[in-house]
C-alpha cells in the first residue's frame, strides 16, 4: 500500500526532495504521491512538518 498525503499538507515541498523514487509532485490543493511508484519507505512522513503523509 502506497503512502497518501492528506489535506493537512501546506505544500512546503520538503517531502518531494526526500523521496528516493521521486514519486511526489505538486498537485492543486496538496502535494501528491504516485501510488504506482511509492515504495513505502516512510521518508515523506518522517520529514513532513504537519504529519500529512499516511501509510
Ligand atoms: Fe516516496 Fe517513500 Fe513517501 Fe513513498 S513513502 S512517497 S517512496 S518518500
Ligand atoms: Fe505537504 Fe508535508 Fe510534503 Fe510539505 S512535507 S509538501 S506539508 S506532505
Amino acid at each position: 500500500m502506497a503512502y497518501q498525503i492528506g489535506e493537512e499538507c501546506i505544500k512546503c515541498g520538503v517531502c518531494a526532495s526526500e523521496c528516493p523514487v521521486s514519486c511526489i509532485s505538486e498537485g492543486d490543493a496538496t502535494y501528491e504521491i504516485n501510488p504506482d511508484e511509492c515504495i513505502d519507505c516512510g521518508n515523506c512522513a518522517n520529514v513532513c512538518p504537519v504529519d500529512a503523509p499516511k501509510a
Side-chain angles (χ1 to χ4, degrees):
M1 281 299 292
Y3 273 61
Q4 266 198 322
I5 293 174
E7 291 178 354
E8 307 96 314
C9 175
I10 55 172
K11 300 183 82 172
C12 69
V14 173
C15 57
S17 59
E18 294 296 328
C19 178
V21 294
S22 300
C23 70
I24 307 178
S25 58
E26 186 173 4
D28 288 336
T30 66
Y31 267 60
E32 296 171 347
I33 293 170
N34 180 336
D36 296 329
E37 295 178 6
C38 175
I39 57 170
D40 283 327
C41 72
N43 279 6
C44 53
N46 290 335
V47 298
C48 178
V50 295
D51 204 22
K54 305 289 187 197

